[in-house]
Amino acid sequence: MKTPPPNRKSSQKPKMLLLQLATAVCLLFNCAVSAIPKPEEKRVLDHEIINHVQHFQNDEHNKQYDHEAFLGEDAKTFDQLEPDESRRRLGVIVDKIDTDKDGFVNQAELKAWIQYTQRRYIEDDVGRQWKQHNPNGTEQIHWDSYRKNVYGFLDEMDPKDLEQGDEHFSYKSMLTRDRRRWAVADRDRDDQLSREEFTEFLHPEESPYMRDIVVQETIEDIDKDHDGKVSVDEYIGDMYRSSEDNEDEPEWVKHERETFNNFRDKDKDGLMDHQEVKDWIIPADFDHAEAEARHLIYEADSDADEKLTKEEIVEKYDLFVGSQATDFGEALTRHDEF
C-alpha cells in the first residue's frame, strides 16, 4: 500500500496539533472550548514552502497544489461548484488578473495575482484572530491574555494529562512552543505583540526575521531521537510509513533517500543540521509565486506564446480551480465579485 508524501510545510504539524488539541478538549470538557483556536485557524500559511514533494506526489502532478496557490481561500468555495459555474467564476477572475486589459494573462500578471491571494489570506486570518484575542481593540495583545484565551483550560487539568500525547505532541509542549514563538515575535521584549508582531507570530514563514523559528519547529517535529538534527530515516519517516513489515519502499521513497544523500545532506555526515534543514524548507533565492506562475503558463499555454488567453485558462479550468470542482451540491454563498 502506497502512502503519499505529505506537503513539507511547517503548517502541517501545527494544524494537526491544533486539531488534536481541540478534539481532546471537547471530550474532556463537553465541547466547552470556544476560546480554543479552531483547526482551520492555521498557524502557518499552507502555501509557505514549495518543493517537488508537495507539487508532485508519487511523481504525479498534484493539481490541488495549483488550485490552492491560484485561488487561496476561495479554493474551498470552488471545490463545491459544478463545472459550468466553476468555469464562469474563473472567467471573472481572469478579467481581474488581466490588469492591462490586453486580453492576455502574462507571467507577471499571474505572479501578482498569486501574491495577492497569499496576502489576502494572511490579512483575513490575522484580522479574524486579532479580533478574537483583542475584543477591546487595544493596540497590543499581552501574552497573559493570549495564554488565558487559548490555554486557560490547562489550569484545570490534571498535571499528568498535560504530558500525554502522540509522538511530540502534548498540551504542555504546544504551550511551550507558542511561548517561544511569541518571545521571538516580540521584538521590543515587552511581552506584548502589536498587530505587526502578531502577524509574524501567526505566519512566521512570511517574515525573514522569523524563519529560524520555523526551521527549529520543523526539526523538532521530525527529530525522533532528540539530537537536534534530522537523519535520513527521520526525513523519510516524516513522509512515509510502511503499512507492512518487509514491504518494499515505493520508487518515490527511494528517490527521496537519494535526494537526501546527494543534495540535502551537504556535508555528507548523514544528518541535516539547522542550516541544511533551512536550505531544504526555505531555499534561498526561490520565488514561489514566480515558479507557480511559470508552471501554470507552461501547463495551459496551448499555442506556446508564453501568455494565456481567457479561453486557454478556462479550457484548463481543472488545473486552475482543482480536480474536485465537480457536482458536490449547491454552491456556497456567492461572493459579491461573482
Side-chain angles (χ1 to χ4, degrees), residues 2 8 13 31 34 56 73 84 116 122-123 135 140 162 164 174 181-182 207 209 224 230 256 273 298 309:
K2 289 185 177 181
R8 178 60 263 153
K13 299 293 184 177
C31 294
S34 59
F56 293 86
E73 280 291 271
D84 287 346
Y116 162 73
I122 292 174
E123 290 167 1
Q140 294 182 314
L162 298 180
Q164 293 181 357
M174 195 64 188
R181 189 191 286 190
W182 185 282
S207 168
Y209 180 77
K224 305 302 182 184
V230 176
E256 283 300 323
D273 59 20
Y298 173 81
T309 63

Side-chain angles (χ1 to χ4, degrees), residues 219-234:
I219 291 174
E220 290 172 352
D221 288 335
I222 302 174
D223 177 22
K224 305 302 182 184
D225 60 8
H226 309 290
D227 65 351
K229 298 183 179 182
V230 176
S231 68
V232 64
D233 289 337
E234 289 167 337

